[in-house]
Amino acid sequence: MSKKVPPVIPVVGQGGDSSREDQLRQWEEAEQRRREEQAAAQAPPAQAAVPVPVQAAPAPAESSPPAAVAVRAETPGYLEMPEFTQPDSSDPAERLEFYSRGILAVQYATRANHERAEQQKLIGLGLRLKAMKEEELHKVAGFDTFGDLTEDRFGIKKHQANNIIRVLGVAQALEDITTQELKERPLRVLVPVLDTHGSTAVQQTWLEAARHGNVTDTALLQAANFLGYAPPKELTQDTKQKKPADKSSGDGLSESQRAVERIRALAEKDPSRARREAEQLESAVRELLEELTGNLE
């Protein structure tokens, strides 16, 4: 009886212009074929059919309410964890190589499954949050607003819940073409693409951005512009005219501009501290923008 060998480990980032998703999908298909062939080889020979006495059909069961949590038997995109096997060789160097390849295979499957799980988490949260908001179920629980309910029960702030709901349709359009983790922030770029051009345009934009490596919000915006799915920004009469500087501070700078200039001056004396303060300012501004966006919805 031959010993099992670990599956061939796909190498991400190599193989011509193939994207990460294509390599992962090809490896999954090869693994599925290997398991099917192995199961067919081990299946017992077919036996003659034995007549089965006809029985009366059972009475129809009473309809029961749907389960609170319905679990799909199998979700595409998840990799089976490689089984542990021992090498045939007694050479220490070859045994080390054999076990090393197995470890890399386990690590690869773990990363891939984590990304797919995070993707499905975004969709699963979005579906339920959207339903709760549309049905105004916060009133049943005694909360004044939808945001009060999500923050109190689930630790999800109002702006976070609204942003997840906003990108839900985009995430659903992408789950069939990628197993990669889908983060809420970059997907915002694709919301107007979905609203104007539909799910196919969203998928085409994602694939175009993925051809160039890591998919970011900037890459998605550039891809949308390239494919003609993002409307060109036209300068209005107000933006064409240069606005006068804010003289309220005495130096012609706004509060935000003064904060930037202060950090720039600090960088000349202590670059490390200036970088830390700049990162803190960036984080605070990003959180404020998210809150403002969520509160406006």
Side-chain angles (χ1 to χ4, degrees):
M1 178 179 177
S2 59
K3 295 183 178 294
K4 296 181 180 179
V5 296
V8 178
I9 307 169
V11 181
V12 178
Q14 297 183 3
D17 294 332
S18 296
S19 66
R20 182 184 188 284
E21 291 75 25
D22 292 337
Q23 298 176 39
L24 177 58
R25 189 177 298 109
Q26 293 171 5
W27 188 63
E28 292 173 4
E29 293 174 354
E31 282 297 291
Q32 181 64 25
R33 289 194 298 269
R34 181 185 64 82
R35 291 193 293 268
E36 291 175 354
E37 292 172 357
Q38 183 179 7
Q42 296 177 354
Q47 297 180 355
V50 178
V52 179
V54 179
Q55 298 180 354
E62 296 182 359
S63 59
S64 56
V69 179
V71 181
R72 285 184 286 184
E74 181 180 355
T75 302
Y78 290 98
L79 301 182
E80 182 180 353
M81 195 62 64
E83 297 180 2
F84 172 75
T85 57
Q86 299 230 3
D88 294 327
S89 174
S90 60
D91 180 78
E94 293 181 358
R95 294 179 70 85
L96 173 61
E97 174 67 16
F98 183 92
Y99 291 135
S100 297
R101 290 175 62 83
I103 289 175
L104 293 176
V106 169
Q107 291 176 334
Y108 180 88
T110 300
R111 289 195 301 270
N113 290 339
H114 172 75
E115 291 193 3
R116 184 64 163 180
E118 287 297 318
Q119 176 194 110
Q120 295 300 304
K121 172 185 174 183
L122 178 63
I123 296 174
L125 290 177
L127 288 170
R128 290 159 178 81
L129 290 171
K130 180 180 179 181
M132 293 170 62
K133 183 176 183 179
E134 291 178 345
E135 297 178 29
E136 299 184 342
L137 298 181
H138 61 276
K139 298 178 181 179
V140 179
F143 291 95
D144 293 333
T145 66
F146 168 70
D148 292 338
L149 169 64
T150 60
E151 184 167 4
D152 182 82
R153 289 201 172 181
F154 315 114
I156 303 176
K157 295 183 180 296
K158 176 183 177 180
H159 70 274
Q160 294 174 323
N162 285 326
N163 286 334
I164 292 174
I165 294 172
R166 184 166 58 165
V167 302
L168 172 61
V170 174
Q172 289 177 304
L174 294 175
E175 68 172 328
D176 291 334
I177 66 168
T178 179
T179 58
Q180 184 174 334
E181 176 182 357
L182 300 177
K183 297 183 179 180
E184 171 266 322
R185 180 183 298 277
L187 296 188
R188 298 180 198 172
V189 175
L190 297 178
V191 172
V193 176
L194 177 67
D195 294 340
T196 305
H197 302 283
S199 58
T200 300
V202 169
Q203 295 173 349
Q204 292 175 349
T205 303
W206 177 276
L207 294 175
E208 175 62 30
R211 288 198 311 114
H212 307 288
N214 189 28
V215 181
T216 62
D217 51 354
T218 301
L220 289 170
L221 180 58
Q222 292 174 347
N225 282 320
F226 173 74
L227 295 174
Y229 294 137
K233 294 182 179 180
E234 297 182 359
L235 293 177
T236 62
Q237 189 65 26
D238 292 337
T239 57
K240 291 179 181 178
Q241 298 177 354
K242 186 176 180 180
K243 295 182 179 181
D246 183 5
K247 300 298 182 179
S248 59
S249 60
D251 54 7
L253 299 177
S254 65
E255 291 291 339
S256 58
Q257 290 173 325
R258 289 211 307 274
V260 172
E261 291 301 324
R262 181 183 62 79
I263 296 176
R264 182 175 286 114
L266 177 62
E268 298 179 358
K269 302 177 182 179
D270 191 344
S272 298
R273 181 181 174 187
R275 180 180 178 83
R276 289 194 300 271
E277 292 198 13
E279 291 174 346
Q280 293 174 356
L281 178 61
E282 179 186 22
S283 177
V285 171
R286 183 183 300 113
E287 183 176 354
L288 176 60
L289 287 173
E290 291 180 351
E291 292 178 0
L292 293 175
T293 301
N295 291 333
L296 291 175
E297 296 181 346

